[in-house]
PDB file of all heavy atoms in Angstrom:
ATOM      1  N   ALA A1514      -5.364 -10.083  -8.221  1.00 49.00           N
ATOM      2  CA  ALA A1514      -5.774 -11.469  -8.446  1.00 49.00           C
ATOM      3  C   ALA A1514      -7.105 -11.705  -7.744  1.00 49.00           C
ATOM      4  O   ALA A1514      -7.204 -11.581  -6.536  1.00 49.00           O
ATOM      5  CB  ALA A1514      -4.720 -12.421  -7.900  1.00 49.00           C
ATOM      6  N   VAL A1515      -8.117 -11.994  -8.497  1.00 54.00           N
ATOM      7  CA  VAL A1515      -9.440 -12.182  -7.912  1.00 54.00           C
ATOM      8  C   VAL A1515     -10.035 -13.484  -8.425  1.00 54.00           C
ATOM      9  O   VAL A1515      -9.998 -13.769  -9.611  1.00 54.00           O
ATOM     10  CB  VAL A1515     -10.382 -11.016  -8.280  1.00 54.00           C
ATOM     11  CG1 VAL A1515     -11.748 -11.218  -7.683  1.00 54.00           C
ATOM     12  CG2 VAL A1515      -9.808  -9.689  -7.828  1.00 54.00           C
ATOM     13  N   THR A1516     -10.538 -14.301  -7.515  1.00 53.00           N
ATOM     14  CA  THR A1516     -11.288 -15.492  -7.880  1.00 53.00           C
ATOM     15  C   THR A1516     -12.519 -15.531  -7.007  1.00 53.00           C
ATOM     16  O   THR A1516     -12.434 -15.332  -5.800  1.00 53.00           O
ATOM     17  CB  THR A1516     -10.478 -16.788  -7.665  1.00 53.00           C
ATOM     18  OG1 THR A1516     -10.057 -16.853  -6.319  1.00 53.00           O
ATOM     19  CG2 THR A1516      -9.282 -16.865  -8.588  1.00 53.00           C
ATOM     20  N   ASP A1517     -13.657 -15.761  -7.607  1.00 56.00           N
ATOM     21  CA  ASP A1517     -14.915 -15.825  -6.869  1.00 56.00           C
ATOM     22  C   ASP A1517     -15.127 -14.595  -5.980  1.00 56.00           C
ATOM     23  O   ASP A1517     -15.612 -14.702  -4.869  1.00 56.00           O
ATOM     24  CB  ASP A1517     -14.987 -17.101  -6.011  1.00 56.00           C
ATOM     25  CG  ASP A1517     -14.926 -18.358  -6.843  1.00 56.00           C
ATOM     26  OD1 ASP A1517     -15.360 -18.311  -8.009  1.00 56.00           O
ATOM     27  OD2 ASP A1517     -14.435 -19.373  -6.340  1.00 56.00           O
ATOM     28  N   GLY A1518     -14.708 -13.439  -6.468  1.00 56.00           N
ATOM     29  CA  GLY A1518     -14.917 -12.210  -5.704  1.00 56.00           C
ATOM     30  C   GLY A1518     -13.906 -11.985  -4.604  1.00 56.00           C
ATOM     31  O   GLY A1518     -14.036 -11.059  -3.827  1.00 56.00           O
ATOM     32  N   ASN A1519     -12.885 -12.812  -4.504  1.00 77.00           N
ATOM     33  CA  ASN A1519     -11.879 -12.686  -3.464  1.00 77.00           C
ATOM     34  C   ASN A1519     -10.518 -12.390  -4.068  1.00 77.00           C
ATOM     35  O   ASN A1519     -10.202 -12.823  -5.160  1.00 77.00           O
ATOM     36  CB  ASN A1519     -11.739 -13.993  -2.676  1.00 77.00           C
ATOM     37  CG  ASN A1519     -12.995 -14.370  -1.940  1.00 77.00           C
ATOM     38  OD1 ASN A1519     -13.596 -13.546  -1.271  1.00 77.00           O
ATOM     39  ND2 ASN A1519     -13.399 -15.605  -2.073  1.00 77.00           N
ATOM     40  N   TYR A1520      -9.717 -11.662  -3.310  1.00 97.00           N
ATOM     41  CA  TYR A1520      -8.313 -11.517  -3.670  1.00 97.00           C
ATOM     42  C   TYR A1520      -7.603 -12.786  -3.228  1.00 97.00           C
ATOM     43  O   TYR A1520      -8.040 -13.458  -2.293  1.00 97.00           O
ATOM     44  CB  TYR A1520      -7.702 -10.316  -2.951  1.00 97.00           C
ATOM     45  CG  TYR A1520      -8.232  -8.998  -3.443  1.00 97.00           C
ATOM     46  CD1 TYR A1520      -9.427  -8.478  -2.959  1.00 97.00           C
ATOM     47  CD2 TYR A1520      -7.535  -8.266  -4.390  1.00 97.00           C
ATOM     48  CE1 TYR A1520      -9.911  -7.266  -3.410  1.00 97.00           C
ATOM     49  CE2 TYR A1520      -8.014  -7.053  -4.851  1.00 97.00           C
ATOM     50  CZ  TYR A1520      -9.203  -6.564  -4.354  1.00 97.00           C
ATOM     51  OH  TYR A1520      -9.684  -5.367  -4.803  1.00 97.00           O
ATOM     52  N   VAL A1521      -6.495 -13.097  -3.881  1.00 98.00           N
ATOM     53  CA  VAL A1521      -5.710 -14.276  -3.522  1.00 98.00           C
ATOM     54  C   VAL A1521      -4.279 -13.843  -3.238  1.00 98.00           C
ATOM     55  O   VAL A1521      -3.666 -13.130  -4.036  1.00 98.00           O
ATOM     56  CB  VAL A1521      -5.721 -15.329  -4.655  1.00 98.00           C
ATOM     57  CG1 VAL A1521      -4.815 -16.506  -4.302  1.00 98.00           C
ATOM     58  CG2 VAL A1521      -7.135 -15.807  -4.928  1.00 98.00           C
ATOM     59  N   ILE A1522      -3.768 -14.267  -2.092  1.00 98.00           N
ATOM     60  CA  ILE A1522      -2.362 -14.086  -1.755  1.00 98.00           C
ATOM     61  C   ILE A1522      -1.792 -15.489  -1.563  1.00 98.00           C
ATOM     62  O   ILE A1522      -2.299 -16.264  -0.754  1.00 98.00           O
ATOM     63  CB  ILE A1522      -2.180 -13.230  -0.485  1.00 98.00           C
ATOM     64  CG1 ILE A1522      -2.690 -11.808  -0.751  1.00 98.00           C
ATOM     65  CG2 ILE A1522      -0.711 -13.218  -0.054  1.00 98.00           C
ATOM     66  CD1 ILE A1522      -2.611 -10.876   0.442  1.00 98.00           C
ATOM     67  N   GLU A1523      -0.762 -15.796  -2.334  1.00 98.00           N
ATOM     68  CA  GLU A1523      -0.157 -17.125  -2.270  1.00 98.00           C
ATOM     69  C   GLU A1523       0.915 -17.194  -1.187  1.00 98.00           C
ATOM     70  O   GLU A1523       1.676 -16.245  -0.999  1.00 98.00           O
ATOM     71  CB  GLU A1523       0.479 -17.486  -3.610  1.00 98.00           C
ATOM     72  CG  GLU A1523      -0.507 -17.670  -4.731  1.00 98.00           C
ATOM     73  CD  GLU A1523       0.180 -18.062  -6.016  1.00 98.00           C
ATOM     74  OE1 GLU A1523       0.853 -17.184  -6.611  1.00 98.00           O
ATOM     75  OE2 GLU A1523       0.067 -19.228  -6.413  1.00 98.00           O
ATOM     76  N   MET A1524       0.966 -18.338  -0.502  1.00 98.00           N
ATOM     77  CA  MET A1524       2.038 -18.636   0.446  1.00 98.00           C
ATOM     78  C   MET A1524       3.009 -19.544  -0.300  1.00 98.00           C
ATOM     79  O   MET A1524       2.654 -20.668  -0.668  1.00 98.00           O
ATOM     80  CB  MET A1524       1.481 -19.348   1.671  1.00 98.00           C
ATOM     81  CG  MET A1524       0.468 -18.538   2.453  1.00 98.00           C
ATOM     82  SD  MET A1524      -0.156 -19.434   3.890  1.00 98.00           S
ATOM     83  CE  MET A1524      -1.838 -19.784   3.366  1.00 98.00           C
ATOM     84  N   LEU A1525       4.229 -19.045  -0.531  1.00 97.00           N
ATOM     85  CA  LEU A1525       5.176 -19.747  -1.403  1.00 97.00           C
ATOM     86  C   LEU A1525       6.481 -20.072  -0.691  1.00 97.00           C
ATOM     87  O   LEU A1525       6.982 -19.265   0.099  1.00 97.00           O
ATOM     88  CB  LEU A1525       5.492 -18.882  -2.628  1.00 97.00           C
ATOM     89  CG  LEU A1525       4.318 -18.504  -3.521  1.00 97.00           C
ATOM     90  CD1 LEU A1525       4.725 -17.426  -4.514  1.00 97.00           C
ATOM     91  CD2 LEU A1525       3.792 -19.732  -4.241  1.00 97.00           C
ATOM     92  N   SER A1526       7.043 -21.218  -1.032  1.00 97.00           N
ATOM     93  CA  SER A1526       8.378 -21.565  -0.539  1.00 97.00           C
ATOM     94  C   SER A1526       9.456 -20.890  -1.361  1.00 97.00           C
ATOM     95  O   SER A1526      10.525 -20.569  -0.852  1.00 97.00           O
ATOM     96  CB  SER A1526       8.580 -23.084  -0.579  1.00 97.00           C
ATOM     97  OG  SER A1526       7.691 -23.703   0.326  1.00 97.00           O
ATOM     98  N   LYS A1527       9.184 -20.679  -2.664  1.00 95.00           N
ATOM     99  CA  LYS A1527      10.101 -19.895  -3.494  1.00 95.00           C
ATOM    100  C   LYS A1527       9.309 -19.223  -4.601  1.00 95.00           C
ATOM    101  O   LYS A1527       8.285 -19.725  -5.057  1.00 95.00           O
ATOM    102  CB  LYS A1527      11.243 -20.728  -4.050  1.00 95.00           C
ATOM    103  CG  LYS A1527      10.854 -21.793  -5.025  1.00 95.00           C
ATOM    104  CD  LYS A1527      12.085 -22.550  -5.492  1.00 95.00           C
ATOM    105  CE  LYS A1527      11.673 -23.676  -6.420  1.00 95.00           C
ATOM    106  NZ  LYS A1527      12.789 -24.454  -6.867  1.00 95.00           N
ATOM    107  N   ASP A1528       9.796 -18.073  -5.001  1.00 94.00           N
ATOM    108  CA  ASP A1528       9.160 -17.290  -6.051  1.00 94.00           C
ATOM    109  C   ASP A1528       9.435 -17.968  -7.395  1.00 94.00           C
ATOM    110  O   ASP A1528      10.601 -18.176  -7.741  1.00 94.00           O
ATOM    111  CB  ASP A1528       9.729 -15.871  -6.033  1.00 94.00           C
ATOM    112  CG  ASP A1528       9.022 -14.925  -6.975  1.00 94.00           C
ATOM    113  OD1 ASP A1528       8.480 -15.383  -8.004  1.00 94.00           O
ATOM    114  OD2 ASP A1528       9.021 -13.713  -6.699  1.00 94.00           O
ATOM    115  N   PRO A1529       8.399 -18.317  -8.158  1.00 91.00           N
ATOM    116  CA  PRO A1529       8.633 -18.975  -9.436  1.00 91.00           C
ATOM    117  C   PRO A1529       9.382 -18.102 -10.442  1.00 91.00           C
ATOM    118  O   PRO A1529      10.024 -18.614 -11.349  1.00 91.00           O
ATOM    119  CB  PRO A1529       7.227 -19.299  -9.952  1.00 91.00           C
ATOM    120  CG  PRO A1529       6.282 -18.557  -9.105  1.00 91.00           C
ATOM    121  CD  PRO A1529       6.989 -18.153  -7.853  1.00 91.00           C
ATOM    122  N   ASN A1530       9.350 -16.786 -10.239  1.00 91.00           N
ATOM    123  CA  ASN A1530      10.059 -15.876 -11.135  1.00 91.00           C
ATOM    124  C   ASN A1530      11.472 -15.565 -10.671  1.00 91.00           C
ATOM    125  O   ASN A1530      12.265 -15.032 -11.437  1.00 91.00           O
ATOM    126  CB  ASN A1530       9.275 -14.569 -11.292  1.00 91.00           C
ATOM    127  CG  ASN A1530       7.933 -14.805 -11.949  1.00 91.00           C
ATOM    128  OD1 ASN A1530       7.810 -15.624 -12.851  1.00 91.00           O
ATOM    129  ND2 ASN A1530       6.919 -14.115 -11.469  1.00 91.00           N
ATOM    130  N   ASP A1531      11.778 -15.852  -9.414  1.00 93.00           N
ATOM    131  CA  ASP A1531      13.105 -15.591  -8.867  1.00 93.00           C
ATOM    132  C   ASP A1531      13.393 -16.615  -7.774  1.00 93.00           C
ATOM    133  O   ASP A1531      13.078 -16.389  -6.599  1.00 93.00           O
ATOM    134  CB  ASP A1531      13.174 -14.170  -8.297  1.00 93.00           C
ATOM    135  CG  ASP A1531      14.557 -13.812  -7.775  1.00 93.00           C
ATOM    136  OD1 ASP A1531      15.491 -14.651  -7.862  1.00 93.00           O
ATOM    137  OD2 ASP A1531      14.716 -12.687  -7.271  1.00 93.00           O
TER     138      ASP A1531
END
Side-chain angles (χ1 to χ4, degrees):
V1515 180
T1516 57
D1517 299 331
N1519 297 313
Y1520 291 83
V1521 176
I1522 295 178
E1523 293 182 288
M1524 299 180 251
L1525 300 168
S1526 295
K1527 66 180 177 182
D1528 187 332
N1530 296 322
D1531 183 1

